[in-house]
Amino acid sequence: MAAVGLFAVMDAMSKLLAETQSIVQIVWARYAFAVPVVLVTTPRAAWPSLLRVSSPLLQAVRGLMPALASFAVVAGLAFLPLAEVTALTFASPLLVVALSAPLLGERTTPHDWLGVVLGFIGILIIVRPGSATFAWAALLPLGCAACFALFQLTSRLVGRSDQPSATLAWAILVGLVVTTPLLALDWRKLSLGATALMVGSGLCFGVSQYCLARAFGLAPAALLSPFTYTQIVPAALLGLVLFGAVPDVWVAVGTLIVVGAGLYVLRRRGRS
């Protein structure tokens, strides 16, 4: 819950930055200014062996997912309200349920799949394909949801053997390797305010990634994933306060259905 709350704050900062800075700059900043979090959460004696993990390839794949998700969500925030983008990313817990059996070997039930179907209906209500309100930009947060689902699943895999600090270090390293060369394509002058927002977003990203690594090392992915829905509260409040954005009734209805579907899955799993 701490992690997704920080995601909402980070996304609000990104939406503000999108008015003046490039997508590449915004995503790069998340990684560059998360480095201090890696150093603080790792004892100095462990720094030389920080990148020593049981499966470097799996860690690299996991580290690539938030980078792709960041590009998708930052691009989406440039076109869509914060609360709506957040609601669309709520497809990720349902994707985790759908993929937990083939990728993690976790058991799924008909109740799990009922939750997936209901959640998909909620997504359709939010997006409303074919209506005047539908925008191609809605596909961007949905792509973010897919990447975040794969990120959570791989977090569970690496969490079984690797320390959270090492997992965080790999995520930040992969993100820096991917985004730093891209800065040459679109670097824009930074104001003092933009610099502060970039630093803040990176610190939020680093702490949230550490929280996720800790959580998925302690509990199953399908159990933790529905807690992603708590992100809608700070996202809606920040969207209202910072951007004056009030979600329409269909976004609210669709969000309630998606959240309800996820909570239904969580409740049924708690009984099994």
Side-chain angles (χ1 to χ4, degrees):
M1 291 176 66
V4 297
L6 288 171
F7 281 154
V9 175
M10 180 178 65
D11 287 344
M13 292 179 177
S14 297
K15 188 168 179 63
L16 289 170
L17 284 166
E19 298 174 0
T20 57
Q21 311 306 136
S22 69
I23 294 176
V24 173
Q25 282 178 293
I26 297 169
V27 176
W28 171 82
R30 294 185 175 189
Y31 291 96
F33 297 109
V35 172
V37 179
V38 177
L39 300 179
V40 168
T41 56
T42 307
R44 186 181 296 270
W47 287 2
S49 60
L50 187 59
L51 297 178
R52 190 178 302 160
V53 292
S54 59
S55 178
L57 179 59
L58 185 59
Q59 285 282 8
V61 171
R62 177 189 178 275
L64 184 61
M65 290 301 105
L68 296 176
S70 293
F71 277 111
V73 78
V74 172
L77 287 167
F79 300 101
L80 298 170
L82 178 60
E84 188 169 329
V85 169
T86 301
L88 289 170
T89 62
F90 283 171
S92 64
L94 303 170
L95 293 173
V96 168
V97 171
L99 296 173
S100 60
L103 295 185
L104 298 180
E106 296 179 355
R107 183 177 63 89
T108 56
T109 69
H111 297 291
D112 295 335
W113 287 103
L114 176 60
V116 171
V117 172
L118 291 174
F120 181 69
I121 292 172
I123 294 297
L124 289 179
I125 291 174
I126 297 171
V127 177
R128 280 160 284 164
S131 71
T133 59
F134 175 75
W136 65 267
L139 299 176
L140 294 169
L142 289 175
C144 171
C147 291
F148 190 53
L150 291 172
F151 172 73
Q152 293 179 77
L153 291 166
T154 51
S155 293
R156 180 59 177 162
L157 288 172
V158 300
R160 294 170 178 173
S161 57
D162 299 331
Q163 293 297 315
S165 55
T167 296
L168 172 61
W170 269 88
I172 302 307
L173 176 64
V174 171
L176 280 175
V177 169
V178 170
T179 59
T180 299
L182 299 178
L183 287 174
L185 300 177
D186 194 0
W187 178 265
R188 302 178 190 178
K189 186 178 179 180
L190 287 167
S191 66
L192 183 61
T195 302
L197 287 172
M198 290 174 72
V199 172
S201 68
L203 294 175
C204 286
F205 184 72
V207 176
S208 65
Q209 291 294 316
Y210 180 78
C211 289
L212 285 177
R214 284 281 295 163
F216 282 97
L218 298 170
L223 176 64
L224 290 175
S225 195
F227 287 97
T228 303
Y229 298 134
T230 59
Q231 184 178 344
I232 192 62
V233 177
L237 289 175
L238 288 168
L240 177 63
V241 173
L242 296 178
F243 309 105
V246 180
D248 66 31
V249 64
W250 291 112
V251 172
V253 170
T255 301
L256 287 174
I257 292 175
V258 176
V259 171
L263 294 178
Y264 171 78
V265 172
L266 178 62
R267 183 176 179 83
R268 297 302 307 191
R269 280 180 168 265
R271 290 178 175 179
S272 61

